[in-house]
């Protein structure tokens, strides 16, 4: 279990209309108004850290995952629009449960920020699944507590880490309406290693250059009498000089 030092509580929302075993793809869509209504009327339970960890561990093992976490923000209405359990969404680093014995994945030390996004992507790339409990909420100071990431976070650093995420996981991290934030969409990711991605990119670039060169050659072949401007200018000067002589 890994948890931040700024946590001050855990809360679980129970809505009797929830289908606790529904797959995220088949979970019924509801409007924002309905979701907010459910969030207001749902029963709220305070949960201990140990209880929350045990619940996440149970969910993780039930799906064959090796990483599990809670809903990443405090917006209960948004959470109610989602299935209670999803298996391909971002796992926020404030409170996570990891099966370290069954998995060799670790944090990428290049990331001072956005490291939890990268860890989630690592697990999805290797295991194809993570588990997120969308009715479990972690109460944390997160962006206002002194020290840690808050002390080193700048707009420039955020941009650098977002670029690194996108380089490592192309197509996964999309623009967010808020500055220095990203949205994670795992669905479109092509599962390939970084060298393969680089090789594919280089191959595509070479192909474009080859096509461009071939187009130029074809154009010249269509007009065999066409001569570059500089050469035509030289020929005209020679003709004038010959006429004077």
């Amino acid at each position: 279990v890994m948890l931040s030092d700024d946590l001050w509580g855990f809360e679980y929302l129970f809505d009797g209309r929830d289908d606790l075993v529904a797959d995220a793809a088949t979970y019924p869509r509801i409007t924002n108004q309905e979701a907010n209504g459910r969030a207001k009327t749902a029963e709220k339970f305070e949960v201990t850290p140990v209880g929350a960890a045990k619940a996440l561990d149970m969910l993780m093992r039930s799906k064959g995952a090796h990483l599990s976490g809670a809903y990443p923000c405090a917006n209960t209405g948004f959470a109610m629009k989602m299935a209670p359990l999803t298996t391909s969404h971002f796992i926020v680093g404030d409170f996570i449960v990891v099966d370290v014995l069954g998995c060799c994945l670790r944090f990428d030390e290049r990331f001072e920020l956005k490291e939890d996004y990268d860890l989630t992507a690592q697990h999805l790339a290797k295991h194809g699944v993570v588990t997120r409990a969308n009715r479990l909420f972690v109460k944390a100071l997160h962006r206002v507590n002194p020290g840690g990431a808050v002390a080193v976070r700048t707009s420039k650093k955020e941009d650098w880490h977002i670029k690194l995420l996108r380089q490592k996981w192309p197509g996964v991290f999309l623009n967010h309406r808020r500055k220095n934030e990203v949205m994670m969409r795992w669905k479109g990711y092509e599962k390939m290693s970084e060298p393969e991605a680089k090789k594919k990119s280089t191959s595509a670039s070479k192909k474009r250059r080859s096509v461009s060169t071939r187009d130029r050659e074809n154009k010249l072949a269509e007009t065999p009498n066409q001569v570059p401007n500089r050469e035509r200018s030289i020929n005209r000067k020679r003709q004038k000089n010959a006429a004077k002589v």
Side-chain angles (χ1 to χ4, degrees), residues 152-162 179-180:
V152 300
R153 182 181 284 116
T154 63
S155 183
K156 187 175 181 179
K157 275 198 171 186
E158 292 277 16
D159 287 342
W160 187 88
H161 284 86
I162 289 172
K179 189 178 180 181
N180 299 329

Side-chain angles (χ1 to χ4, degrees), residues 11-13 30-40 42 44 70-83 92 94 132-140 176-178:
E11 187 175 69
Y12 183 83
L13 266 63
I30 60 175
T31 65
N32 289 341
Q33 186 176 0
E34 289 175 313
N36 288 330
R38 287 191 181 190
K40 289 178 181 178
K44 298 176 175 61
Y71 193 72
C73 71
N75 193 321
T76 55
F78 274 179
M80 284 295 179
K81 290 194 71 172
M82 306 186 73
V92 68
D94 288 332
R132 191 174 83 184
N134 294 318
R135 302 294 182 266
L136 178 65
F137 298 86
V138 176
K139 300 176 182 179
H176 196 282
R177 64 178 181 274
R178 291 191 301 180

Side-chain angles (χ1 to χ4, degrees), residues 2-7 72 91-96 116 138 140 142:
M2 189 193 83
L3 65 161
S4 299
D5 60 359
D6 60 346
L7 300 184
I91 305 297
V92 68
D94 288 332
F95 186 74
I96 61 174
D116 42 6
V138 176
H142 194 53

